[in-house]
Amino acid sequence: MSTKTDIDLIGSAGGSRSEPGGRAKRPAGAAGQLEVELPGEIRDRLSEEVIDELLAGARTEEEIVGPGGVLAQLTKRLVERAMSAELTEHLGYKPHQEPPGGTGNTRNGSTTKTLATEHGPVEVRTPRDRNSSFEPQIVRKGQRRFEGFDDKILALYSRGLSTRDIEAHLAEIYGVKVGRDLISRVTDAVLDDVREWQQRPLDDVYPVIFLDALVLKIREGGSVQRRACYLALGVTVEGERDVLGMWFQESEGAKFWMQVLSELKQRGVQDVLICCVDGLKGFPEAIEAIYPSTIVQTCIVHLIRHSLKYVPRREREQVARDLKPIYTAVDADAAQAALETFDDKWGARFPVITQAWLNAWEYVIPFLAFPDEVRRVIYTTNAIEALNRQLRKAIKTKGHFPNEEAARKLIYLAITNAVPAWTRTRNWTTALLAFKIHFGDRLPE
């Protein structure tokens, strides 16, 4: 038989966090025969003969990965063997041998406990010693869930599932009944990680930081209130995107953004080369108060959207086409000329558009001093808006949060879940060279 399976034994035994899963996939056309593929680390240690022996007589998905199946029995045997080895090391002599000197601590039978695993409930026998000094590590005293099972709960929670939904999912997929109180305790434990993450030291310099806020609904007192979740997304010198923190406030305002930037400075951010923001009034002044040398770039996409808001639908495409020469100009002077051309054509009908661009002009043109590779990085806040879209997927099923802490832990888990999709900035090497030429010694080697 081939050695193919979809189950990650390492993940189920406390390895890296994995997606919710546990059901093996049956290949098309298989006639009652289930092929399994073991992870590389396990496959390298197990011969074909051992795999064939393990799967002898198992023909269906349920017999292999279901409750009481091959993987559940293998988990039981491996855990019990590991705990036996731990006890041997603790006592200092092997089973069926006399204690050193003929006296001392000895083995004293075992106790039975049931572990919740991704292969269903698994009953294991925990060895005991007469002095009750043995503390097993692979399955600790009082532990009822196998390492990695909590990660399944957190993965489901990070996708916006309620405790009721998680309870039903675990019962259906793994045959394990997990109470809602336990699910709440598992997710509440994340708050320690959130606090540590929020207080971690940051880099000295960030070439680019994006600032934006996400509006949530949180119950406060007897009513549901709208709260702003402030997010800061930094691009490191290596081109990696990193969420620097999140903060909650009643509404988005430039005054609170100043507090956010002050906290970033306290956590080690000494310089920010470019800060990308939307068109919030007072935002640039708040940034310049904390980082006087930082270039503030307003989001061009936000400005275009604001402009088209005043245009009838049938003319929006033409107006958008005529705005394009402004933000694609070779330099600020060419952009100014393009704005005047636009005003000559549309100014009489839509004077508010020209005025909006003029009011923000100081923060519109900074990106025009850079080559295209840098412009693509900083002309829009799309990077953080893409993150926000990922977060909204997780929170859209919630309606509202019972308190701020519930919102905080879900947003954190959703950020952790979303990271791989947008970690690296495209064409960063070329952009970094342009930053070095423009900013000189402000950009570290």
Side-chain angles (χ1 to χ4, degrees), residues 267-286:
R267 290 168 58 194
V269 182
Q270 298 305 309
D271 194 9
V272 178
L273 304 186
I274 299 175
C275 198
C276 301
V277 300
D278 57 19
L280 182 67
K281 185 177 181 180
F283 213 154
E285 291 79 7

Side-chain angles (χ1 to χ4, degrees), residues 196-203 206 242 266-269:
E196 182 178 349
W197 173 78
Q198 185 71 32
Q199 297 169 4
R200 73 193 190 282
L202 301 174
D203 293 351
Y206 284 89
D242 183 24
Q266 292 171 4
R267 290 168 58 194
V269 182

Side-chain angles (χ1 to χ4, degrees), residues 115-136:
L115 291 176
T117 79
E118 64 177 292
H119 311 307
V122 173
E123 188 177 90
V124 297
R125 295 193 304 272
T126 302
R128 301 180 303 186
D129 65 320
R130 191 167 296 280
N131 293 346
S132 299
S133 58
F134 175 51
E135 297 283 349

Side-chain angles (χ1 to χ4, degrees), residues 251-367:
S251 60
E252 185 180 10
K255 185 176 181 181
F256 188 77
W257 274 118
M258 189 182 298
Q259 297 179 36
V260 168
L261 293 165
S262 296
E263 181 179 319
L264 294 180
K265 195 162 192 175
Q266 292 171 4
R267 290 168 58 194
V269 182
Q270 298 305 309
D271 194 9
V272 178
L273 304 186
I274 299 175
C275 198
C276 301
V277 300
D278 57 19
L280 182 67
K281 185 177 181 180
F283 213 154
E285 291 79 7
I287 296 169
E288 291 164 357
I290 307 301
Y291 295 104
S293 300
T294 296
I295 293 175
V296 179
Q297 175 65 53
T298 193
C299 176
I300 301 299
V301 173
H302 274 80
L303 192 54
I304 294 170
R305 290 174 185 164
H306 175 75
S307 301
L308 297 180
K309 183 170 63 174
Y310 302 101
V311 180
R313 185 178 300 274
R314 65 180 181 277
E315 295 179 293
R316 285 181 184 176
E317 184 177 347
Q318 183 59 50
V319 171
R321 188 180 299 117
D322 290 340
L323 283 172
K324 188 173 182 179
I326 302 174
Y327 57 87
T328 57
V330 294
D331 54 30
D333 291 337
Q336 180 72 47
L339 180 60
E340 292 173 358
T341 300
F342 177 87
D343 188 56
D344 291 341
K345 181 175 181 179
W346 297 102
R349 291 191 58 201
F350 307 117
V352 291
I353 297 180
T354 303
Q355 192 59 48
W357 284 76
L358 288 174
N359 290 342
W361 195 248
E362 180 183 354
Y363 306 110
V364 168
I365 60 175
F367 84 110

Side-chain angles (χ1 to χ4, degrees), residues 134-280:
F134 175 51
E135 297 283 349
Q137 297 303 306
I138 189 169
V139 178
R140 297 177 298 279
K141 288 183 177 180
Q143 180 179 338
R144 295 293 178 181
R145 303 178 308 283
F146 207 31
E147 291 292 341
F149 195 79
D150 287 1
D151 291 341
K152 306 297 182 187
I153 295 176
L154 294 177
L156 293 169
Y157 188 84
S158 70
R159 285 161 174 77
L161 271 70
S162 66
T163 55
R164 184 190 300 272
D165 293 334
I166 294 172
E167 179 186 27
H169 179 87
L170 295 175
E172 178 184 355
I173 301 299
Y174 305 123
V176 176
K177 183 172 177 56
V178 178
R180 295 175 208 168
D181 290 343
L182 184 141
I183 294 171
S184 295
R185 288 197 299 273
V186 170
T187 56
D188 286 345
V190 173
L191 290 172
D192 292 336
D193 296 337
V194 176
R195 282 186 282 271
E196 182 178 349
W197 173 78
Q198 185 71 32
Q199 297 169 4
R200 73 193 190 282
L202 301 174
D203 293 351
D204 294 340
V205 177
Y206 284 89
V208 185
I209 284 183
F210 301 90
L211 303 175
D212 198 12
L214 185 69
V215 178
L216 309 173
K217 293 181 180 179
I218 299 176
R219 180 171 290 280
E220 190 171 305
S223 61
V224 176
Q225 305 290 335
R226 294 169 67 87
R227 301 289 296 274
C229 175
Y230 291 66
L231 295 169
L233 174 63
V235 179
T236 68
V237 175
E238 291 76 28
E240 299 293 331
R241 293 171 179 165
D242 183 24
V243 180
L244 308 182
M246 61 176 166
W247 302 261
F248 288 85
Q249 187 67 5
E250 291 182 2
S251 60
E252 185 180 10
K255 185 176 181 181
F256 188 77
W257 274 118
M258 189 182 298
Q259 297 179 36
V260 168
L261 293 165
S262 296
E263 181 179 319
L264 294 180
K265 195 162 192 175
Q266 292 171 4
R267 290 168 58 194
V269 182
Q270 298 305 309
D271 194 9
V272 178
L273 304 186
I274 299 175
C275 198
C276 301
V277 300
D278 57 19
L280 182 67

